Amino acid sequence: MGVKRSDDGDDEFEALFETKKARGTLIYRVFAVSLFVAICFVYAYRFNQILTGEGTTRWTWLGLVAAELWFGLYWVLGQAFRWNLVFRKTFKSRLSQRYEERKLPEVDIFVCTADPDIEPPIMVINTVLSLMAYDYPSHKLSVYLSDDAASDLTFYALLEASLFAKHWLPFCKRFKLEPPSPAAYFHNHHTLLTSPPTAQEFSNIKKLYDDMKKRIKNQTKLGRVSSEERSKHSGFSQWDSYSSRRDHDTILQIILHNSKDEDGNYLPTLVYLAREKRPQHRHNFKAGAMNTLLRVSSVISNAKIVLNVDCDMYSNSSESVRDALCFLIDEEKGHEIGFVQFPQKFDNIIKHDIYGSTLLSLIDVEMSGADGYDGPLYIGTCCFHRRDALSGMKFSVGYKNDLLKSDERDNSIEVNLHELEVKSKALASCTYEENTLWGKEMGVIYGSLVEDVMTGLCIHLKGWKSVYYSPPRKAFYGVAPTTLLQALVQHKRWAEGELQILLSKHSPAFHGHGRINLALQMGYSYFNCWAITSLSKLYYSIIPSLYLLRGIPLFPKMSSLWFIPFAYVIVGESVHCLLEFVLFGGTIQGWWNDLRMVLYKGTSSYLFALIDNISKLFGLPDSPFTVTAKTMEEDVSERYEKQVMEFGADSPLFTVLATLALLNLLCLLGILKELAFGEDWFGTCEKMSLQILLCGFLVLINIPIYQGLFLRKDKGRLPSALAIKSTILALSTCILFYMLKD
């Protein structure tokens, strides 16, 4: 960490952030090399067996070789983001001493919502209020809410929030509140403050919040805003031409501008936007909403830094803006950084994380590994962007970091808000992007279900770097899926979108050479190939177990030297994954649950993602976009808290999982019968040990499915029709395979 001279040469200063390499990197690299050697020995064994195998078995061995070759290649790709983990630390005190008040840049904050039924207005405004309460000059903040449902209920809630903000923001700053979300604070206030407000102060602010919450919920129960409430604000007149969510004019309202709170301090600018939609025009979902916000905000505030969050991701730390600025305006390296990505964390995760929603390997390990090559991915939320980079500008060596140049508005100058709104509305037209580069080279890039990853990749391809920062106090908290179906559908969409990137003109594998470094190419390709891994996982989940049923070994026996590399790969990788999971804050039971979800995603979500991508090549319809539910029924919540897996639906995803689980159970029962009644049980164990182990593992990890099929009576069980269908499929497969001869 060195001392550097400022651009004007008048003073010296220290860096605003530092980077440290992860401990144990050398040990891991030695282990990874040894594992690679063992994998090579596995390949040597397989190729040797192909040359000596015959008939059907030879084709089976070819399938195993193909699966294991893919597993090996995929493992090598994954090492790119584990080879060089780094962790960052910011120095906010230096930032404040150097730039406080006079030079700090303005920040635009984008919040996107799409459905008031799935994303309740009270949740949305809690996110908005938490973002307005940043420990940052309020007059330099502008918060934009994009409502793709054009819901008058959401607009009403935002109006209520704007009134409550006049009391809430001074309260937050007076007592240095953490978290600054009202709902989160009132839920945990007794444990979160070192110097809490008096009982009277707390009671007053709590009453204001409860009254607001009650008014919003009353309107929500009606399903619309009452005529009495509509008459109180002229903004509701914009709904007079409203036809439906997919057919309406642009609705834009600057709710707060140069407004002051109860202490006489300026409040952040607050804007509501529902872009124009027509049935005959594509609206590109969240990506289209983000691009509209980019254009509209360029007229109203035009801050050079843009933060975007999902509507459920409330701010958990009032320091996040300052943390991001430590990277973006660092005098030595800041000009190279296109965006700063914070972790996506969830406040509804139960202790052992039954659905693997923490994504620990991705969020805490692989993103830090990507940061080692200045290229963590943009994940669509909790991200601070440089507007120039997000708007499509290419990085060049001569690029100047102009974030500190003051273009801020003079609050003493009156602005004609009506004229500003009219000018902004034109930029939200559904035809504005026609024959432009928006969505192609500018803004958020279209063409993938994971438009965020695609956009981050394009920013990297244009020469920008990125940073991943996980502060001691988590910056944002959101809502994770609380049912298995929600989790699997979410991962299906992600895997489908990642494969779309691989096949696009922006593919890091085919078009990234020379534009991003090799490690980033490998890392991006690792994620892009999620869907393809389904074929290998399916093969390994079916074929070894079926051959176990017939007593045909597909792996070396325990007395063979060839057994050693197989054992080393299995034990070594399992122990490494367990240690990694626990060292990064997980539990042993959580690791087991995560392992289960890796299997479930790989054999269902990724399979259907692959099928959908292939279908699109033949012109079949796209998969519908699904917004993840942010609320749940009481009985579902109770089962979630008890860590009981929630099924409750007849889905093709569940049919695949249940059939695979039953098939492996039948195969295991078959070999156990052979061991119990056969003459040479020891010889059978010796030659079939790895297949028995694999089949036993698949049975053990599928216990929740067996419970959902046969033992549970609650509404979260698997439907009876699905149980019958899966049993017939599994039993038929086993019988047919057992009857076949080589």
Side-chain angles (χ1 to χ4, degrees):
M1 181 178 65
V3 178
K4 297 163 288 187
R5 186 169 296 278
S6 65
D7 292 339
D8 57 19
D10 292 337
D11 61 340
E12 292 185 342
F13 51 84
E14 293 180 291
L16 296 177
F17 71 92
E18 68 176 7
T19 304
K20 292 184 177 180
K21 286 187 176 293
R23 291 178 295 178
T25 298
L26 180 60
I27 295 174
Y28 176 76
R29 289 179 177 179
V30 171
F31 163 73
V33 170
S34 70
L35 203 67
F36 179 75
V37 171
I39 291 171
C40 290
F41 276 107
V42 169
Y43 292 157
Y45 171 77
R46 288 297 181 206
F47 285 118
N48 179 60
Q49 293 299 313
I50 288 175
L51 296 175
T52 59
E54 295 180 357
T56 304
T57 307
R58 175 176 292 179
W59 288 104
T60 303
W61 284 76
L62 282 171
L64 283 172
V65 168
E68 288 166 354
L69 279 173
W70 177 252
F71 282 141
L73 173 61
Y74 192 66
W75 177 84
V76 169
L77 291 176
Q79 295 313 296
F81 284 175
R82 279 182 160 79
W83 201 252
N84 187 35
L85 271 68
V86 299
F87 300 97
R88 312 279 189 172
K89 180 181 179 180
T90 60
F91 301 103
K92 295 185 287 293
S93 60
R94 297 174 187 173
L95 177 79
S96 297
Q97 291 168 9
R98 207 171 297 158
Y99 304 117
E100 189 62 41
E101 227 20 87
R102 184 174 61 88
K103 290 184 178 180
L104 288 176
E106 295 188 35
V107 179
D108 286 344
I109 302 174
F110 297 168
V111 182
C112 296
T113 184
D115 189 332
D117 298 323
I118 297 176
E119 300 161 338
I122 191 65
M123 180 191 71
V124 175
I125 64 164
N126 267 280
T127 296
V128 169
L129 287 165
S130 72
L131 298 168
M132 294 175 71
Y134 273 130
D135 179 19
Y136 199 76
S138 293
H139 65 282
K140 294 190 175 187
L141 294 175
S142 298
V143 181
Y144 295 80
L145 176 64
S146 171
D147 178 15
D148 260 3
S151 168
D152 58 349
L153 291 170
T154 302
F155 179 67
Y156 172 77
L158 198 63
L159 290 175
E160 287 286 344
S162 69
L163 299 175
F164 178 66
K166 296 179 180 180
H167 309 283
W168 178 249
L169 268 61
F171 184 79
C172 288
K173 295 181 179 181
R174 196 177 306 136
F175 299 104
K176 300 186 183 302
L177 231 61
E178 300 287 10
S181 161
Y185 166 66
F186 291 129
H187 182 67
N188 299 301
H189 74 279
H190 57 285
T191 60
L192 295 178
L193 288 181
T194 53
S195 54
T198 65
Q200 185 61 49
E201 289 170 320
F202 175 81
S203 177
N204 290 342
I205 197 72
K206 180 70 161 60
K207 184 178 186 304
L208 287 173
Y209 176 73
D210 287 341
D211 289 346
M212 176 189 70
K213 184 177 177 181
K214 182 179 179 181
R215 289 192 296 272
I216 292 172
K217 287 197 170 183
N218 286 340
Q219 299 301 313
T220 302
K221 286 179 181 178
L222 286 175
R224 55 180 175 78
V225 178
S226 65
S227 56
E228 179 183 354
E229 294 297 333
R230 279 175 174 263
S231 65
K232 295 178 182 179
H233 197 284
S234 60
F236 285 106
S237 63
Q238 297 184 74
W239 270 265
D240 292 344
S241 61
Y242 177 86
S243 298
S244 70
R245 292 183 182 184
R246 293 180 173 273
D247 189 9
H248 60 81
D249 295 335
T250 297
I251 301 172
L252 189 149
Q253 184 77 44
I254 301 175
I255 297 174
L256 294 177
H257 186 78
N258 288 355
S259 303
K260 295 185 178 181
D261 62 28
E262 62 181 10
D263 289 348
N265 297 315
Y266 280 107
L267 290 165
T269 297
L270 182 62
V271 180
Y272 173 90
L273 171 66
R275 58 197 168 118
E276 181 188 15
K277 286 188 180 179
R278 302 300 175 197
Q280 63 272 27
H281 292 280
R282 291 178 61 87
H283 59 273
N284 295 301
F285 305 106
K286 180 182 172 183
M290 281 282 292
N291 285 339
T292 303
L293 285 172
L294 268 176
R295 295 192 297 272
V296 168
S297 64
S298 69
V299 171
I300 298 174
S301 51
N302 199 30
K304 294 171 183 175
I305 297 173
V306 172
L307 162 65
N308 87 280
V309 298
D310 289 339
C311 65
D312 65 314
M313 297 298 300
Y314 69 83
S315 169
N316 187 59
S317 170
S318 60
E319 299 287 330
S320 301
V321 176
R322 295 176 183 272
D323 279 323
L325 287 179
C326 285
F327 298 104
L328 291 167
I329 65 176
D330 180 76
E331 291 82 356
E332 182 181 8
K333 299 179 180 178
H335 68 289
E336 303 173 328
I337 298 171
F339 62 88
V340 179
Q341 179 65 63
F342 284 75
Q344 185 178 15
K345 296 290 183 177
F346 307 101
D347 65 358
N348 65 327
I349 298 292
I350 52 179
K351 182 178 179 181
H352 299 303
D353 191 13
I354 192 170
Y355 301 120
S357 298
T358 53
L359 302 173
L360 191 144
S361 293
L362 170 61
I363 296 298
D364 292 331
V365 181
E366 291 162 355
M367 287 290 280
S368 295
D371 201 13
Y373 299 100
D374 299 313
L377 286 67
Y378 167 39
I379 59 175
T381 185
C382 314
C383 188
F384 287 84
H385 300 267
R386 187 184 299 274
R387 184 182 286 266
D388 285 346
L390 187 57
S391 298
M393 178 182 289
K394 291 183 179 180
F395 175 77
S396 62
V397 177
Y399 179 81
K400 298 294 183 182
N401 197 350
D402 63 348
L403 295 180
L404 298 176
K405 290 183 179 178
S406 180
D407 293 331
E408 67 177 275
R409 297 154 285 164
D410 186 344
N411 290 311
S412 65
I413 299 175
E414 289 294 328
V415 177
N416 189 319
L417 293 186
H418 177 69
E419 290 182 3
L420 201 57
E421 288 173 350
V422 170
K423 185 177 180 181
S424 301
K425 282 184 178 182
L427 302 176
S429 164
C430 61
T431 58
Y432 183 87
E433 294 181 358
E434 292 180 0
N435 302 315
T436 71
L437 294 178
W438 282 100
K440 300 171 185 175
E441 299 293 334
M442 296 175 62
V444 180
I445 306 302
Y446 305 148
S448 170
L449 291 177
V450 285
E451 68 286 332
D452 38 24
V453 178
M454 175 91 88
T455 300
L457 171 61
C458 289
I459 290 173
H460 289 142
L461 290 172
K462 290 174 181 174
W464 296 97
K465 296 179 180 179
S466 58
V467 165
Y468 184 68
Y469 181 56
S470 182
R473 179 180 179 84
K474 301 309 177 188
F476 302 93
Y477 274 120
V479 181
T482 53
T483 71
L484 181 59
L485 186 59
Q486 287 176 8
L488 293 179
V489 169
Q490 185 180 68
H491 282 282
K492 174 195 171 292
R493 183 171 65 85
W494 290 348
E496 187 176 350
E498 290 286 354
L499 188 54
Q500 289 170 345
I501 294 175
L502 183 69
L503 302 175
S504 74
K505 66 177 182 178
H506 304 293
S507 172
F510 306 123
H511 304 290
H513 181 67
R515 302 172 69 188
I516 54 177
N517 66 49
L518 179 61
L520 281 184
Q521 277 188 274
M522 293 171 63
Y524 267 112
S525 299
Y526 173 77
F527 296 122
N528 293 165
C529 291
W530 275 345
I532 300 174
T533 62
S534 62
L535 299 177
S536 296
K537 289 182 179 179
L538 271 175
Y539 195 89
Y540 243 73
S541 298
I542 297 172
I543 299 302
S545 296
L546 288 175
Y547 273 84
L548 178 67
L549 191 64
R550 290 171 56 182
I552 299 176
L554 299 178
F555 299 90
K557 57 185 179 180
M558 292 180 66
S559 58
S560 169
L561 289 176
W562 288 112
F563 181 85
I564 296 174
F566 280 90
Y568 184 77
V569 170
I570 294 169
V571 175
E573 185 64 6
S574 298
V575 171
H576 161 252
C577 289
L578 174 59
L579 287 175
E580 180 181 87
F581 199 90
V582 173
L583 288 173
F584 278 88
T587 65
I588 294 177
Q589 181 62 46
W591 167 75
W592 182 252
N593 290 337
D594 189 70
L595 205 59
R596 179 187 297 116
M597 286 304 298
V598 168
L599 176 68
Y600 286 3
K601 291 181 295 187
T603 54
S604 63
S605 300
Y606 296 173
L607 174 65
F608 282 94
L610 180 63
I611 292 172
D612 274 8
N613 267 285
I614 293 173
S615 297
K616 288 174 186 176
L617 295 177
F618 294 96
L620 297 176
D622 292 350
S623 296
F625 180 84
T626 303
V627 179
T628 304
K630 311 299 182 186
T631 58
M632 54 179 164
E633 298 176 1
E634 186 176 348
D635 59 333
V636 176
S637 177
E638 290 176 359
R639 288 191 288 273
Y640 179 68
E641 293 296 332
K642 293 177 182 178
Q643 303 189 68
V644 176
M645 188 163 279
E646 185 73 21
F647 300 102
D650 190 349
S651 167
L653 295 165
F654 292 161
T655 301
V656 171
L657 294 179
T659 302
L660 290 175
L662 289 172
L663 184 146
N664 279 280
L665 179 61
L666 291 171
C667 292
L668 183 64
L669 291 175
I671 192 63
L672 291 177
K673 172 179 172 292
E674 177 67 23
L675 293 175
F677 299 105
E679 296 180 359
D680 187 16
W681 65 270
F682 181 79
T684 302
C685 280
E686 193 209 10
K687 73 176 183 178
M688 307 291 289
S689 56
L690 286 178
Q691 273 165 273
I692 294 173
L693 179 66
L694 175 60
C695 189
F697 162 76
L698 291 171
V699 169
L700 190 61
I701 209 163
N702 276 309
I703 285 177
I705 287 184
Y706 304 134
Q707 292 172 334
L709 285 170
F710 306 119
L711 302 179
R712 288 169 54 183
K713 303 299 181 183
D714 56 73
K715 292 182 180 179
R717 68 184 185 277
L718 283 162
S720 300
L722 187 146
I724 295 171
K725 179 168 49 179
S726 300
T727 302
I728 292 173
L729 286 171
L731 193 59
S732 301
T733 302
C734 289
I735 292 173
L736 287 172
F737 190 83
Y738 187 79
M739 293 174 63
L740 290 174
K741 296 181 180 179
D742 283 340

